[in-house]
């Protein structure tokens, strides 16, 4: 029973952190405040919160670089299908 509780708690933390990353990516200050609080209430550490926000930033910078350089989408799809 204890193992199942820990697994469900970790899933809840993970879900809250994903919501936080999406909020950071959308740059919604209201959502960031709410999802940070909910993630911490679920048991997320400061390091996990920072990592989730960093993941949103990494996705955004990579997207900006590819988009700004007009990287061929089909070439990217081909690269990742291997």
């Amino acid at each position: 029973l204890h193992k199942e509780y820990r697994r469900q708690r970790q899933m809840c933390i993970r879900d809250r952190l994903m919501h936080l990353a999406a909020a950071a990516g959308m740059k919604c200050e209201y959502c960031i405040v709410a999802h940070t609080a909910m993630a911490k209430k679920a048991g997320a550490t400061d390091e996990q919160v920072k990592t989730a926000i960093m993941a949103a930033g990494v996705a955004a910078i990579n997207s900006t670089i590819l988009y700004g350089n007009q990287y061929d989408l089909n070439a990217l799809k081909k690269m990742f299908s291997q």
Side-chain angles (χ1 to χ4, degrees):
L1 200 59
H2 180 67
K3 202 182 260 189
E4 178 62 21
Y5 170 77
R6 281 191 350 197
R7 187 184 72 76
Q8 287 183 1
R9 182 172 181 231
Q10 288 301 316
M11 287 174 51
C12 181
I13 292 169
R14 183 201 64 210
D15 290 348
R16 295 295 178 194
L17 291 169
M18 285 192 301
H19 295 150
L20 174 57
M26 292 185 304
K27 297 175 178 48
C28 176
E29 59 188 291
Y30 305 101
C31 300
I32 291 168
V33 169
H35 289 297
T36 299
M38 288 188 278
K40 289 200 169 199
K41 186 174 182 180
T45 65
D46 288 341
E47 188 68 26
Q48 288 173 313
V49 166
K50 289 176 185 179
T51 299
I53 293 167
M54 186 176 68
V58 169
I61 195 167
N62 287 328
S63 176
T64 300
I65 290 168
L66 292 170
Y67 185 76
N69 287 298
Q70 300 176 0
Y71 191 85
D72 183 77
L73 183 57
N74 289 324
L76 187 68
K77 286 180 180 180
K78 185 176 179 183
M79 181 174 62
F80 282 102
S81 68
Q82 296 176 3

